[in-house]
Amino acid sequence: MRILLLILMIAIALFKLTFISPALAAETSNGAKIFEANCASCHIGGGNILISQKTLKKEALSKYLENYNSDSIEAIIHQVQNGKNAMPAFKGKLSAEEILDVAAYVFQNAEQGW
């Protein structure tokens, strides 16, 4: 049963990585611009200049963002909107669409290893 579940999880992950929707592709293009303007000063190349272990790499996001493993985009959106510790909240600075765009960009780069 565990092997079957593992195979199913791997198949779902591969499907998600293989088939990126055109909407997600558009969001990541806009997200790259938003990221450069608002996030890159601290998170250049997916790193973190303030807290080195809390990068935007998949392993760190999985470890430090609540619910990342069950709903990655929503977990990133929550972090961008609300901030935490040294990271400021962008809820009042960016629109909901811009936050979604940057979340899609971060997710795609995390999945690809920055």
Side-chain angles (χ1 to χ4, degrees), residues 2-85:
R2 285 185 178 175
I3 292 175
L4 182 61
L5 183 59
L6 179 62
I7 291 170
L8 180 61
M9 290 175 62
I10 291 171
I12 290 169
L14 287 174
F15 180 80
K16 281 184 156 184
L17 291 175
T18 304
F19 299 102
I20 296 176
S21 73
L24 183 58
E27 290 166 356
T28 58
S29 174
N30 294 332
K33 294 173 191 168
I34 297 163
F35 184 89
E36 284 301 315
N38 296 280
C39 314
S41 59
C42 291
H43 293 290
I44 191 160
N48 186 326
I49 65 167
L50 299 174
I51 305 170
S52 62
Q53 70 272 20
K54 291 189 176 183
T55 68
L56 300 180
K57 301 200 174 172
K58 185 176 181 178
E59 298 79 21
L61 293 174
S62 182
K63 182 175 181 180
Y64 294 110
L65 289 188
E66 188 176 334
N67 300 323
Y68 184 82
N69 294 319
S70 61
D71 193 350
S72 304
I73 297 287
E74 188 57 42
I76 297 168
I77 287 171
H78 180 80
Q79 181 72 20
V80 174
Q81 285 178 331
N82 301 298
K84 189 173 182 182
N85 300 324

